[in-house]
Amino acid sequence: MAKSVSLHARTSRQHTIVTWRDYYEMTKPNVVMLLLLTALVGMCLATPTWVNATVLICGLLGIGMLSASAAVINHVVDHKIDSVMARTFNRPVAKGKVSVNNALWFAGILGVVGFVVLALFVNMITAWLTLASLVGYAFIYTMYLKRATPQNIVIGGLAGAAPPLLGWTAVTGEIHAHALLLVLIIFTWTPPHFWALAIHREKDYAKAKVPMLPVTHGVSFTKTSVLLYTVLLGLVCLLPYLTGMSDLIYLIGSSVLNIGFLYYALKLKFDAQPQTAMKTFRFSIIHLMVLFVVLLLDHYIPLSL
């Protein structure tokens, strides 16, 4: 009997061993990589030549570390909600593998080092704007908006839309209308992207008592909102071409991507299957990623009508 208890204790300890992968998972690496792609494009579009190597490396490092810090804080603040949702119950803090204190120390180190890197090797405006984005996402959105209003992702989406602006200011040290246009694209993209996931996980959010739009206004209303925002996104995506910021490569590429997104939004609204919402969510990620790659290609391979 004693041997059995001892074996069980050893087995339990084995299951709670914390590895570097648990800390890595808390940084939401896939999300951060997408943010860094948009920041990189912001850097490149800010200059007609190549980006200075120090600004490129230190800018992406600092922005990435502060974004990762915000993600870790999100894990801490949401760990009780995460523990009752099928999509997130295995997250390290929700599962109890990483303690709240250790996660906060990790977030603090990432945030401080990231800010210092930006302040010392890039410029102060980028450091402060990136810190403001962290505060917007980790505190204003996660702690308040997410639990307060079904428009949480619309208002809070501004923090996640900031990386192109951060990349631009890293290179130029100033805020430019073209950088704000890139922010507007991501800001408009965020609601249909996230609401598609919220539709798929509507029962989870209801169980966790998070007032996401499908929970408060119903799935049908949310599908209509996804469709309308997708149409709006298509119009906003025309602005870089109409303002002379980009050329024909971008116009063609963005048009194809927006038609694809509209197809999924229409299918979600009028002919949805069990996996349509999740497919729409996944395509939205491809949409944004490829859209910014097309912007980059257009910048370095100019082709005008």
Side-chain angles (χ1 to χ4, degrees), residues 33-80:
M33 290 303 293
L34 183 58
L35 295 178
L36 288 180
L37 171 63
T38 64
L40 172 63
V41 174
M43 287 180 174
C44 294
L45 267 59
T47 175
T49 58
W50 299 105
V51 179
N52 175 273
T54 300
V55 171
L56 178 68
I57 296 170
C58 294
L60 292 179
L61 178 63
I63 294 168
M65 292 186 78
L66 280 159
S67 299
S69 176
V72 177
I73 295 171
N74 175 265
H75 273 251
V76 172
V77 175
D78 278 354
H79 75 276
K80 290 184 179 179

Side-chain angles (χ1 to χ4, degrees), residues 20 26 58 71 83-84 111 126 153 166 185 201 218 229 232-233 260 277:
W20 65 268
M26 288 192 295
C58 294
S83 65
V84 299
T126 304
I153 200 63
L166 305 177
I185 289 173
R201 294 294 185 181
Y229 262 93
L232 179 60
L233 175 63

Side-chain angles (χ1 to χ4, degrees), residues 144-167:
Y144 175 69
L145 289 173
K146 187 171 183 178
R147 294 158 172 78
T149 170
Q151 292 298 309
N152 45 26
I153 200 63
V154 177
I155 305 169
L158 187 59
L165 173 62
L166 305 177

